[in-house]
Short mmCIF file of all heavy atoms in Angstrom, two decimals:
data_model
loop_
_atom_site.label_atom_id
_atom_site.label_comp_id
_atom_site.label_asym_id
_atom_site.label_seq_id
_atom_site.Cartn_x
_atom_site.Cartn_y
_atom_site.Cartn_z
N MET A 1079 -97.10 47.65 58.09
CA MET A 1079 -97.90 47.13 56.99
C MET A 1079 -98.82 46.00 57.43
O MET A 1079 -99.88 45.79 56.85
CB MET A 1079 -96.98 46.65 55.86
CG MET A 1079 -96.29 47.79 55.13
SD MET A 1079 -97.44 49.04 54.44
CE MET A 1079 -97.34 50.34 55.68
N PHE A 1080 -98.42 45.26 58.48
CA PHE A 1080 -99.31 44.24 59.04
C PHE A 1080 -100.56 44.89 59.64
O PHE A 1080 -101.69 44.44 59.42
CB PHE A 1080 -98.59 43.43 60.12
CG PHE A 1080 -99.48 42.50 60.87
CD1 PHE A 1080 -99.92 41.30 60.31
CD2 PHE A 1080 -99.89 42.81 62.18
CE1 PHE A 1080 -100.77 40.45 61.01
CE2 PHE A 1080 -100.72 41.97 62.89
CZ PHE A 1080 -101.17 40.79 62.30
N ILE A 1081 -100.34 46.00 60.37
CA ILE A 1081 -101.48 46.74 60.93
C ILE A 1081 -102.35 47.30 59.81
O ILE A 1081 -103.58 47.24 59.86
CB ILE A 1081 -100.96 47.87 61.84
CG1 ILE A 1081 -100.24 47.29 63.05
CG2 ILE A 1081 -102.13 48.75 62.31
CD1 ILE A 1081 -99.61 48.34 63.95
N SER A 1082 -101.68 47.85 58.79
CA SER A 1082 -102.39 48.40 57.65
C SER A 1082 -103.27 47.36 56.95
O SER A 1082 -104.44 47.59 56.67
CB SER A 1082 -101.39 49.01 56.65
OG SER A 1082 -102.03 49.41 55.48
N ASP A 1083 -102.68 46.21 56.68
CA ASP A 1083 -103.42 45.13 56.01
C ASP A 1083 -104.58 44.64 56.87
O ASP A 1083 -105.65 44.32 56.35
CB ASP A 1083 -102.49 43.96 55.69
CG ASP A 1083 -101.48 44.31 54.62
OD1 ASP A 1083 -101.72 45.29 53.88
OD2 ASP A 1083 -100.44 43.63 54.54
N SER A 1084 -104.36 44.59 58.19
CA SER A 1084 -105.41 44.11 59.10
C SER A 1084 -106.60 45.04 59.07
O SER A 1084 -107.76 44.60 59.05
CB SER A 1084 -104.86 44.00 60.53
OG SER A 1084 -103.77 43.09 60.58
N ILE A 1085 -106.35 46.35 59.05
CA ILE A 1085 -107.43 47.33 59.02
C ILE A 1085 -108.15 47.32 57.66
O ILE A 1085 -109.37 47.40 57.59
CB ILE A 1085 -106.91 48.75 59.32
CG1 ILE A 1085 -106.37 48.82 60.75
CG2 ILE A 1085 -108.00 49.80 59.12
CD1 ILE A 1085 -105.71 50.14 61.10
N MET A 1086 -107.37 47.15 56.58
CA MET A 1086 -107.95 47.15 55.24
C MET A 1086 -108.84 45.93 55.00
O MET A 1086 -109.73 45.96 54.15
CB MET A 1086 -106.83 47.20 54.18
CG MET A 1086 -106.10 48.51 54.13
SD MET A 1086 -104.82 48.58 52.87
CE MET A 1086 -105.79 48.58 51.37
N MET A 1087 -108.60 44.85 55.75
CA MET A 1087 -109.43 43.66 55.60
C MET A 1087 -110.82 43.85 56.18
O MET A 1087 -111.76 43.13 55.83
CB MET A 1087 -108.75 42.47 56.30
CG MET A 1087 -107.50 41.96 55.59
SD MET A 1087 -106.66 40.67 56.55
CE MET A 1087 -107.95 39.41 56.60
N LEU A 1088 -110.99 44.83 57.07
CA LEU A 1088 -112.28 45.06 57.71
C LEU A 1088 -113.15 45.96 56.84
O LEU A 1088 -112.65 46.93 56.25
CB LEU A 1088 -112.08 45.73 59.08
CG LEU A 1088 -111.23 44.95 60.09
CD1 LEU A 1088 -110.96 45.82 61.32
CD2 LEU A 1088 -111.95 43.66 60.50
N PRO A 1089 -114.44 45.69 56.75
CA PRO A 1089 -115.36 46.58 55.99
C PRO A 1089 -115.51 47.90 56.74
O PRO A 1089 -116.03 47.93 57.86
CB PRO A 1089 -116.67 45.78 55.95
CG PRO A 1089 -116.59 44.82 57.09
CD PRO A 1089 -115.14 44.50 57.27
N SER A 1090 -115.07 48.99 56.12
CA SER A 1090 -114.97 50.28 56.81
C SER A 1090 -116.31 50.78 57.32
O SER A 1090 -116.43 51.17 58.48
CB SER A 1090 -114.36 51.31 55.86
OG SER A 1090 -113.06 50.94 55.48
N LEU A 1091 -117.33 50.79 56.45
CA LEU A 1091 -118.62 51.32 56.85
C LEU A 1091 -119.25 50.49 57.96
O LEU A 1091 -119.81 51.03 58.92
CB LEU A 1091 -119.57 51.40 55.65
CG LEU A 1091 -120.95 52.00 55.91
CD1 LEU A 1091 -120.80 53.42 56.48
CD2 LEU A 1091 -121.79 52.02 54.65
N LEU A 1092 -119.12 49.16 57.85
CA LEU A 1092 -119.67 48.30 58.89
C LEU A 1092 -118.96 48.51 60.22
O LEU A 1092 -119.60 48.58 61.28
CB LEU A 1092 -119.54 46.83 58.47
CG LEU A 1092 -120.10 45.78 59.44
CD1 LEU A 1092 -121.58 46.01 59.70
CD2 LEU A 1092 -119.86 44.38 58.90
N LEU A 1093 -117.62 48.67 60.17
CA LEU A 1093 -116.86 48.93 61.38
C LEU A 1093 -117.29 50.26 62.00
O LEU A 1093 -117.43 50.37 63.24
CB LEU A 1093 -115.37 48.94 61.06
CG LEU A 1093 -114.41 49.18 62.23
CD1 LEU A 1093 -114.56 48.11 63.28
CD2 LEU A 1093 -112.98 49.24 61.73
N LEU A 1094 -117.48 51.26 61.17
CA LEU A 1094 -117.90 52.58 61.64
C LEU A 1094 -119.29 52.50 62.27
O LEU A 1094 -119.54 53.12 63.33
CB LEU A 1094 -117.91 53.57 60.48
CG LEU A 1094 -118.22 55.03 60.81
CD1 LEU A 1094 -117.22 55.59 61.81
CD2 LEU A 1094 -118.21 55.86 59.54
N LEU A 1095 -120.18 51.73 61.68
CA LEU A 1095 -121.52 51.56 62.22
C LEU A 1095 -121.49 50.89 63.59
O LEU A 1095 -122.20 51.29 64.52
CB LEU A 1095 -122.38 50.74 61.26
CG LEU A 1095 -122.83 51.42 59.97
CD1 LEU A 1095 -123.50 50.42 59.05
CD2 LEU A 1095 -123.80 52.55 60.28
N VAL A 1096 -120.65 49.87 63.72
CA VAL A 1096 -120.53 49.15 65.00
C VAL A 1096 -120.01 50.07 66.09
O VAL A 1096 -120.56 50.13 67.21
CB VAL A 1096 -119.63 47.91 64.85
CG1 VAL A 1096 -119.33 47.29 66.22
CG2 VAL A 1096 -120.27 46.89 63.94
N ILE A 1097 -118.95 50.84 65.77
CA ILE A 1097 -118.36 51.74 66.77
C ILE A 1097 -119.36 52.83 67.16
O ILE A 1097 -119.51 53.15 68.34
CB ILE A 1097 -117.06 52.36 66.23
CG1 ILE A 1097 -116.01 51.27 65.99
CG2 ILE A 1097 -116.52 53.42 67.17
CD1 ILE A 1097 -114.76 51.76 65.31
N ALA A 1098 -120.05 53.39 66.16
CA ALA A 1098 -121.03 54.44 66.45
C ALA A 1098 -122.17 53.91 67.29
O ALA A 1098 -122.68 54.61 68.18
CB ALA A 1098 -121.56 55.01 65.13
N SER A 1099 -122.56 52.67 67.05
CA SER A 1099 -123.65 52.06 67.84
C SER A 1099 -123.23 51.82 69.27
O SER A 1099 -124.01 52.05 70.21
CB SER A 1099 -124.09 50.75 67.18
OG SER A 1099 -124.56 50.95 65.87
N LEU A 1100 -122.00 51.37 69.47
CA LEU A 1100 -121.52 51.09 70.82
C LEU A 1100 -121.39 52.35 71.66
O LEU A 1100 -121.58 52.31 72.88
CB LEU A 1100 -120.16 50.37 70.74
CG LEU A 1100 -120.16 48.94 70.18
CD1 LEU A 1100 -118.73 48.43 70.03
CD2 LEU A 1100 -120.96 48.01 71.09
#
Side-chain angles (χ1 to χ4, degrees):
M1079 288 305 100
F1080 172 75
I1081 296 176
S1082 173
D1083 291 341
S1084 300
I1085 296 175
M1086 291 181 70
M1087 289 175 62
L1088 300 172
S1090 299
L1091 183 57
L1092 181 59
L1093 181 60
L1094 185 59
L1095 288 172
V1096 171
I1097 296 174
S1099 300
L1100 291 174

